[in-house]
């Protein structure tokens, strides 16, 4: 069964090829069958492979499959090879199944849109590249998948390309992530130059043997890979592209934000954890970036009016939690939160899509309200997702994963009370902005009438994701099911355990504190945005409140800052470059050529006697020069 591993990324690629070649000539039903069917078959194969891997793990808990040699240049011989271990198995199962559910949702959601086959072709290509990324056994093939999802994000964010704003959002995502990708490419050159391989297992072994902890080379390599991770995962300082990525269709937002592109950076750091362990300074920076990002994004989410932009900033914040976990060495906790986040964030985006479509494209939460009676299934599904995002104690998946990160941010030797405090403050912000969104959208006075209710293809993904958003956290309960290991124990075959300093306090006490913060945030949102809305309105009317609101609404003015520091100076230099001194030399050569051409053209009069005289004079001058010299 493990031999079918190559089919997992191949099936979505095959769906893309079929739709790209003949999709325009097919009916929408057949397009959906190919698009959704290829994603579904990939998910089924992933499930079968995963079941086989769990029942009978291969030697060393690692299965490798080499398809062919990619190239052979000197000592550089990369392969098209796939590798399956505990980490890649979790990623593959989450990516394939969540993507399939989003595809199924899209079959109904996008049915009236122009470019139906083009949409599914792009989505299949996106999944294929993401699965290639997580299954690659070498960093070059991983980088191919990495760039592939970047290309597909451009195509999908700008899907409605007739609106110039959508094109600008797609270009912004493409350019900003390219900054990190360039750093990552340099990192790959450095790694190959000094370790002689890009095969992940080999380079991790060679790095631990040849590089000392804290030496220059692992610091440089880890820092460059971090640059790529920061760009793809929309962390400070390259987070500005993600809120604007909401220009794409809602299924695109769900796919990019839930389980695919933005989590690629988390996977990269976890996959190359040995390099980061050899560079403690860089690993600390990972934790700091995560802590600061989760707070800044949480504050911005508090002020947004657009329901999708709230979820976008929420994604940035939750990825920040994953970076915080990676930075303190809680590798398995980061992947655990990746999994639960994929469930509840996909659910929230898909629920938001139902609301937006039902209200004729309305995104403003302040123009919604009272929708729980008109959209009961969507309301309950959205409420489950919101509860999981807010880490509602005991009954949601988000509670178990976020609580584990907070605990290890305190108890790990690499953690600190400051990092734990940032995570706890972020948890409070998360509960407030999440239930602000729920209360403004589904409670209060109804301001609009829903024109379209979801059908079966939308209802099934909502129901399945709602169930997963509840039970997904139970894999970390202190018990086992049969012979299957706990989630963290399963991942420890690949990822090391978090370095525990011991005796740091009671885990139960910290769980209680996290629960109190979560419930307190929900209660605060209830007071400010349902029972006493005038409190929040009066707070915003104060000078300080108005200033903070505008500052956070604009994403802490990072777009303005980058425009001032980089974009406008570049545009100015480009304009000045039209009259560049270097160009003047070449313009002079061209002008001289034109003058000489005009002079020589003047000699072509058509008068034969003048031609003969010129030839005679030329001959006399030539003979004279020869005689005299």
């Amino acid at each position: 069964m493990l031999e079918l591993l190559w089919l997992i990324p191949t099936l979505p690629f095959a769906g893309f090829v079929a739709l790209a070649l003949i999709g325009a000539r097919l009916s929408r039903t057949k397009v959906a069958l190919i698009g959704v069917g290829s994603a579904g078959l990939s998910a089924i194969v992933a499930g079968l492979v995963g079941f086989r891997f769990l029942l009978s793990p291969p030697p060393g808990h690692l299965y490798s499959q080499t398809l062919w040699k990619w190239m052979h240049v000197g000592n550089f011989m990369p392969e098209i090879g796939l590798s399956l271990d505990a980490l890649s198995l979790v990623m593959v199962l989450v990516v394939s199944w969540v993507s399939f559910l989003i595809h199924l949702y899209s079959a109904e959601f996008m049915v009236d849109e122009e470019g139906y086959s083009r949409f599914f072709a792009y989505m299949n290509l996106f999944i294929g590249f993401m699965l290639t990324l997580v299954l690659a056994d070498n960093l070059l093939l991983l980088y191919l998948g990495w760039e592939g999802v970047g290309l597909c994000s451009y195509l999908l964010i700008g899907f409605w390309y007739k609106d110039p704003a959508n094109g600008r959002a797609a270009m912004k995502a493409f350019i900003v992530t390219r900054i990190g990708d360039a750093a990552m490419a340099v990192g790959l050159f450095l790694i190959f130059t000094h370790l002689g391989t890009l095969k992940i297992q080999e380079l991790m072994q060679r790095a631990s043997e040849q590089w000392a902890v804290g030496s220059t080379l692992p610091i440089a390599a880890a820092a460059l890979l971090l640059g790529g991770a920061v760009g793809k995962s929309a962390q400070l300082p390259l987070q500005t592209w993600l809120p604007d990525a909401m220009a794409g269709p809602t299924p695109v937002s769900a796919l990019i934000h839930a389980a695919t592109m933005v989590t690629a950076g988390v996977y990269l750091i976890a996959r190359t954890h040995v390099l980061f362990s050899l560079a403690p300074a860089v690993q600390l920076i990972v934790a700091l970036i995560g802590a600061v990002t989760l707070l800044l994004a949480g504050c911005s989410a508090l002020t947004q009016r657009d329901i999708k932009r709230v979820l976008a900033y929420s994604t940035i914040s939750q990825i920040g939690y994953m970076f915080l976990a990676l930075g303190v060495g809680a590798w398995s906790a980061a992947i655990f939160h990746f999994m639960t986040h994929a469930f509840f964030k996909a659910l929230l985006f898909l629920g938001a899509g139902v609301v937006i479509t039902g209200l004729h494209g309305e995104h403003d939460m302040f123009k919604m309200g009272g929708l729980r009676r008109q959209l009961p299934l969507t309301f309950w599904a959205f409420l489950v997702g919101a509860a999981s995002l807010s880490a509602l104690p005991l009954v949601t998946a988000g509670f178990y994963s976020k609580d584990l990160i907070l605990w290890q941010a305190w108890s790990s030797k690499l953690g600190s009370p400051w990092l734990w405090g940032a995570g706890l403050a972020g948890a409070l912000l998360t509960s407030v902005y999440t239930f602000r969104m729920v209360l403004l959208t589904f409670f209060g006075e109804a301001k609009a009438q829903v024109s379209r209710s979801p059908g079966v293809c939308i209802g099934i993904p909502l129901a399945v994701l709602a169930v997963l958003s509840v039970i997904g956290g139970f894999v970390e309960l202190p018990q086992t099911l049969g012979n299957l290991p706990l989630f963290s124990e399963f991942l420890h075959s690949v990822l090391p355990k978090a370095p525990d300093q011991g005796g740091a306090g009671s885990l139960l006490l910290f769980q209680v504190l996290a629960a109190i913060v979560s419930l307190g945030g929900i209660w605060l949102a209830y007071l400010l945005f349902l029972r006493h809305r005038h409190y929040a309105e009066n707070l915003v009317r104060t000078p300080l409140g108005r200033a903070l609101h505008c500052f956070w609404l604009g994403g802490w003015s990072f777009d303005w800052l980058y425009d001032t520091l980089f974009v406008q100076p570049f545009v100015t230099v480009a304009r000045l470059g039209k009259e560049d001194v270097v160009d003047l030399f070449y313009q002079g050569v061209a002008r001289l050529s034109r003058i000489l051409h005009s002079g020589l053209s003047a000699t072509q009069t058509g008068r034969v006697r003048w031609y003969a005289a010129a030839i005679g004079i030329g001959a006399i001058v030539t003979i004279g020069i020869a005689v005299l010299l």
Side-chain angles (χ1 to χ4, degrees):
M1 190 65 68
L2 293 179
E3 292 77 14
L4 298 178
L5 184 64
W6 64 276
L7 276 177
I8 298 175
T10 300
L11 287 167
F13 281 134
F16 161 73
V17 172
L19 292 173
L21 293 177
I22 62 173
R25 297 191 293 273
L26 298 176
S27 66
R28 300 203 168 211
T29 301
K30 292 179 181 177
V31 167
L33 283 174
I34 294 174
V36 180
S38 59
L41 287 174
S42 176
I44 291 171
V45 173
L48 293 174
V49 169
F51 186 71
R52 175 67 174 79
F53 187 95
L54 290 173
L55 284 184
S56 180
H61 296 273
L62 175 67
Y63 175 75
S64 297
Q65 187 177 61
T66 300
L67 303 180
W68 66 83
K69 292 282 185 183
W70 189 351
M71 64 184 79
H72 187 171
V73 182
N75 295 326
F76 186 51
M77 294 179 290
E79 300 170 339
I80 302 295
L82 307 179
S83 178
L84 187 69
D85 58 15
L87 175 58
S88 55
L89 177 59
V90 171
M91 297 293 296
V92 163
L93 289 174
V94 173
V95 169
S96 60
W97 280 99
V98 172
S99 297
F100 164 65
L101 292 173
I102 294 172
H103 269 67
L104 181 61
Y105 174 98
S106 303
E108 179 182 336
F109 186 86
M110 298 293 293
V111 71
D112 296 327
E113 296 292 339
E114 183 182 354
Y116 194 67
S117 64
R118 177 167 58 91
F119 174 81
F120 277 104
Y122 292 165
M123 292 280 278
N124 279 64
L125 185 63
F126 191 105
I127 297 175
F129 276 126
M130 187 66 196
L131 292 170
T132 300
L133 189 158
V134 299
L135 285 173
D137 75 341
N138 65 83
L139 289 181
L140 187 62
L141 185 58
L142 184 152
Y143 191 69
L144 175 66
W146 187 276
E147 290 298 316
V149 296
L151 168 65
C152 293
S153 70
Y154 169 79
L155 296 173
L156 287 167
I157 293 169
F159 178 76
W160 290 316
Y161 59 89
K162 294 181 180 180
D163 185 346
N166 297 339
R168 288 192 295 270
M171 186 61 72
K172 181 178 181 180
F174 191 76
I175 292 173
V176 173
T177 54
R178 290 292 77 70
I179 298 171
D181 294 354
M184 181 178 172
V186 175
L188 298 189
F189 283 119
L190 185 148
I191 290 171
F192 180 76
T193 300
H194 291 277
L195 296 178
T197 183
L198 288 178
K199 204 171 180 73
I200 295 173
Q201 300 298 327
E202 291 182 9
L203 75 87
M204 294 296 104
Q205 183 177 356
R206 294 184 187 182
S208 60
E209 292 173 352
Q210 300 177 21
W211 289 350
V213 175
S215 58
T216 303
L217 287 175
I219 288 176
L224 290 166
L225 293 182
L226 175 60
V230 162
K232 266 302 186 282
S233 293
Q235 297 293 285
L236 284 171
L238 299 179
Q239 82 286 3
T240 56
W241 67 270
L242 195 59
D244 290 347
M246 297 301 96
T250 299
V252 172
S253 303
L255 188 65
I256 291 177
H257 289 233
T260 55
M261 180 172 167
V262 295
T263 58
V266 176
Y267 173 75
L268 176 67
I269 296 175
R271 175 56 72 192
T272 58
H273 64 274
V274 172
L275 292 178
F276 286 85
S277 298
L278 293 172
V282 179
Q283 193 172 347
L284 175 60
I285 292 173
V286 173
L288 293 175
I289 287 174
V292 175
T293 302
L294 70 89
L295 289 174
L296 266 60
C299 291
S300 290
L302 273 175
T303 62
Q304 304 301 312
R305 298 176 65 95
D306 186 329
I307 187 171
K308 285 179 66 177
R309 287 184 74 89
V310 174
L311 294 174
Y313 278 108
S314 169
T315 297
I316 298 173
S317 181
Q318 297 307 303
I319 300 293
Y321 274 102
M322 299 178 208
F323 268 62
L324 173 60
L326 294 169
V328 299
W331 312 101
S332 59
I335 302 303
F336 184 29
H337 196 57
F338 150 77
M339 182 183 73
T340 61
H341 175 263
F343 300 150
F344 62 69
K345 187 55 61 66
L347 175 60
L348 289 169
F349 267 111
L350 299 186
V354 174
V355 171
I356 293 168
T357 303
L359 297 179
H360 307 284
E362 181 59 67
H363 287 236
D364 191 341
M365 296 182 296
F366 287 86
K367 296 180 182 179
M368 300 176 185
L371 296 180
R372 69 184 187 279
R373 297 185 183 89
Q374 300 182 54
L375 295 170
L377 172 63
T378 304
F379 164 66
W380 286 109
F382 199 92
L383 184 63
V384 170
S388 191
L389 172 58
S390 301
L392 191 69
L394 301 179
V395 294
T396 61
F399 169 74
Y400 293 100
S401 59
K402 189 176 292 184
D403 176 71
L404 187 60
I405 292 175
L406 291 175
W407 164 247
Q408 294 190 343
W410 176 276
S411 64
S412 170
K413 290 181 180 179
L414 302 177
S416 76
W418 291 104
L419 295 174
W420 171 80
L424 199 65
L428 177 65
L429 289 172
T430 302
S431 295
V432 175
Y433 72 66
T434 301
F435 273 84
R436 168 182 178 264
M437 176 174 57
V438 171
L439 296 171
L440 292 177
T441 304
F442 293 99
F443 289 82
E445 180 184 355
K447 301 181 178 67
Q449 188 69 27
V450 173
S451 61
R452 176 179 170 184
S453 297
V456 175
C457 289
I458 288 179
I460 290 175
L462 292 179
V464 172
L465 288 169
V467 172
L468 291 174
S469 296
V470 174
I471 68 173
F474 296 162
V475 295
E476 276 297 278
L477 287 177
Q479 58 193 23
T480 57
L481 301 176
N483 294 321
L484 297 179
L486 293 175
F487 187 81
S488 293
E489 292 297 327
F490 176 62
L491 285 176
H492 287 161
S493 64
V494 180
L495 302 171
K497 295 183 179 180
D500 193 354
Q501 61 188 1
S506 169
L507 173 59
L508 178 61
L509 173 61
F510 281 82
Q511 288 179 329
V512 171
L513 287 175
I516 291 173
V517 167
S518 173
L519 295 172
I522 296 172
W523 176 77
L524 187 59
Y526 166 74
L527 289 180
L528 292 176
F529 303 108
L530 185 62
R531 185 167 184 177
H532 302 293
R533 280 194 183 181
H534 59 280
Y535 287 173
E537 294 169 356
N538 293 338
L539 187 62
V540 173
R541 290 193 186 102
T542 64
L544 178 60
R546 188 182 303 111
L548 280 177
H549 184 274
C550 292
F551 190 50
W552 292 348
L553 182 65
W556 295 72
S557 297
F558 274 95
D559 282 317
W560 171 85
L561 179 65
Y562 293 159
D563 185 69
T564 303
L565 292 179
F566 303 111
V567 178
Q568 292 306 320
F570 180 83
V571 171
T572 301
V573 171
R575 287 172 179 166
L576 293 175
K578 292 181 180 179
E579 304 299 332
D580 194 280
V581 176
V582 176
D583 290 341
L584 293 177
F585 170 75
Y586 296 103
Q587 291 170 1
V589 171
R591 187 169 301 175
L592 177 61
S593 298
R594 287 195 294 269
I595 292 172
L596 293 174
H597 172 266
S598 299
L600 292 172
S601 297
T603 65
Q604 304 301 307
T605 61
R607 297 176 181 178
V608 177
R609 287 179 295 178
W610 284 101
Y611 293 169
I615 291 172
I617 293 171
I620 292 170
V621 171
T622 302
I623 293 171
I625 292 173
V627 172
L628 294 175
L629 298 179

